[in-house]
């Protein structure tokens, strides 16, 4: 990683020198229990997009951590809105990252999990058509798949009228997908927060002002505020900040518990 922008830890204990990929992977890690990590990038003034996409906010340090977080997960959860809008391609990992997964007893690639109530999905989209592992789609009981979708993905029906995210995540865990990484988008993040399913937020803050217009990283119906302790602050040499917030095991409600008021 010698030609990459240096990333250093500034909190809680400042670390001397730039972090290597193995050190970064260890700082984020895999939880020793079922865990949902959410990853977003925002501008310094809180925008979720620049010119309609996340790409303009994401510099090289963010892309590096984004890839490492993919390496660490079992299931990569994304809302249909983001999948469609950002034109998601098949989940690919570099050979060193696949080797890291093999060494840690994991399959070479995480499973893509798409959340869609409508099933307005294109089976020809590369995220499905070129997927190295057959994707899963969390959907409603009565949703009708478009022609060809069930040839490239398995449907997981969880909820009569809308996708029951708690039931959906429980089913993913039943299938061995314990470490989940959600890459958004804002409506899915809002719904996961409302259901108290978020264990961790990894937030990259890009050093720029996007100005008025774009939304926030969360959207949907208002809900109760939830405390999420800060775990680390990393800073890249280009001014990008990478914040990791996570609750501890003792703060996690037991499976099936009603969301906190
Ligand atoms: N800055 C970042 O890090 C970042 C990350 C991700 C996305 N984004 C941006 O966010 C924007 C997309 O946001 P969006 O408003 O479309 O929100 P979204 O959360 O990406 O997608 C919403 C859609 O996902 C499905 N969905 C989400 N939550 C669901 C739930 N609880 N139950 C059932 N289905 C659910 C539905 O799909 P169906 O319509 O198929 O039912 C819904 O219409 C894009 O501009 C993208 O660039 C930014």
């Amino acid at each position: 990683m010698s030609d990459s922008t240096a990333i250093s830890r500034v909190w809680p204990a400042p670390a001397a020198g730039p972090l290597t990929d193995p050190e970064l992977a260890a700082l984020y890690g895999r939880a020793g229990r079922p865990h949902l990590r959410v990853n977003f990038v925002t501008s310094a003034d809180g925008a979720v997009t620049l010119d309609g996409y996340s790409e303009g906010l994401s510099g090289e340090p963010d892309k590096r951590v984004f890839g490492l977080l993919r390496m660490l997960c079992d299931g990569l959860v994304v809302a249909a809105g983001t999948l469609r809008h950002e034109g998601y391609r098949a989940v690919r990992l570099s050979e060193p990252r696949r080797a890291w997964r093999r060494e840690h007893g994991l399959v070479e690639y995480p499973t893509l999990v798409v959340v869609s109530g409508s099933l307005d999905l294109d089976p020809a989209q590369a995220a499905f058509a070129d997927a190295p592992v057959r994707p899963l789609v969390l959907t409603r009981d009565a949703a009708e798949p478009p022609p060809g979708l069930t040839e490239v993905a398995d449907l997981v029906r969880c909820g009569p009228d809308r996708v029951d995210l708690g039931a959906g995540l429980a089913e993913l865990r039943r299938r061995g997908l314990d470490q989940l990484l959600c890459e958004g988008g804002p409506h899915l993040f809002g719904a996961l927060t409302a259901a108290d399913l978020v264990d961790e937020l990894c937030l990259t803050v890009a050093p720029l002002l996007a100005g008025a217009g774009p939304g926030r990283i969360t959207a949907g119906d208002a809900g109760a505020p939830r405390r999420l302790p800060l775990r680390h602050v990393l800073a890249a040499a280009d001014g990008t900040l990478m914040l990791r917030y996570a609750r501890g095991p003792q703060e996690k409600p037991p499976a099936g518990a009603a969301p906190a008021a």
Side-chain angles (χ1 to χ4, degrees):
M1 301 302 309
S2 55
D3 53 354
S4 63
T5 309
I7 300 176
S8 306
R9 189 172 69 195
V10 295
W11 191 89
L19 295 159
T20 62
D21 273 8
E23 288 168 338
L24 275 172
L27 275 176
Y28 286 92
R30 284 170 57 89
R33 59 192 178 282
H35 190 82
L36 175 67
R37 165 181 284 160
V38 176
N39 185 35
F40 271 95
V41 60
T42 180
S43 64
D45 56 351
V48 70
T49 54
L50 201 62
D51 298 327
Y53 294 90
S54 58
E55 172 66 23
L57 298 170
S58 176
E60 189 264 334
D62 178 62
K63 289 189 170 67
R64 187 172 159 204
V65 169
F66 180 93
L68 283 168
L69 296 185
R70 284 187 165 190
M71 178 187 84
L72 290 166
C73 74
D74 301 318
L76 178 56
V77 182
V78 65
T82 290
L83 180 101
R84 289 185 291 252
H85 184 79
E86 298 258 347
Y88 258 56
R89 287 183 273 176
V91 177
R92 298 282 173 207
L93 298 177
S94 65
E95 172 47 34
R97 288 179 181 164
R98 295 204 306 279
W100 185 94
R101 290 179 64 89
R102 288 192 299 271
E103 283 159 20
H104 289 78
L106 306 176
V107 293
E108 283 206 335
Y109 293 96
T111 301
L112 178 69
V113 180
V114 178
V115 181
S116 173
S118 71
L119 289 185
D120 177 15
L121 300 169
D122 179 2
Q125 184 169 345
F128 296 113
D130 296 340
V133 176
R134 195 171 161 83
L136 300 173
V137 180
L138 300 187
T139 191
R140 295 178 295 117
D141 294 350
E144 272 295 318
L149 186 65
T150 55
E151 280 152 39
V152 293
D154 289 333
L155 304 186
V156 178
R157 299 189 179 275
C158 42
D161 308 316
R162 56 192 186 89
V163 181
D164 179 334
L165 293 169
L169 297 198
E171 175 58 21
L172 296 180
R173 281 154 185 165
R174 202 187 60 74
R175 294 175 183 225
L177 306 181
D178 262 358
Q179 305 295 306
L180 298 172
L181 170 66
C182 175
E183 294 182 343
H187 281 95
L188 180 57
F189 182 34
L192 289 167
T193 302
D196 201 17
L197 295 168
V198 176
D199 297 309
E200 177 174 336
L201 172 64
C202 297
L203 183 65
T204 296
V205 182
L208 62 89
L209 298 177
R216 294 171 52 206
I217 63 170
T218 190
D221 297 336
R226 303 193 185 279
R227 262 192 63 74
L228 202 56
L230 182 65
R231 301 296 177 184
H232 75 217
V233 179
L234 311 181
D238 66 357
T240 302
L241 285 179
M242 272 153 288
L243 313 174
R244 177 174 173 263
Y245 299 87
R247 57 183 170 194
Q250 71 284 2
E251 293 155 312
K252 193 173 169 94

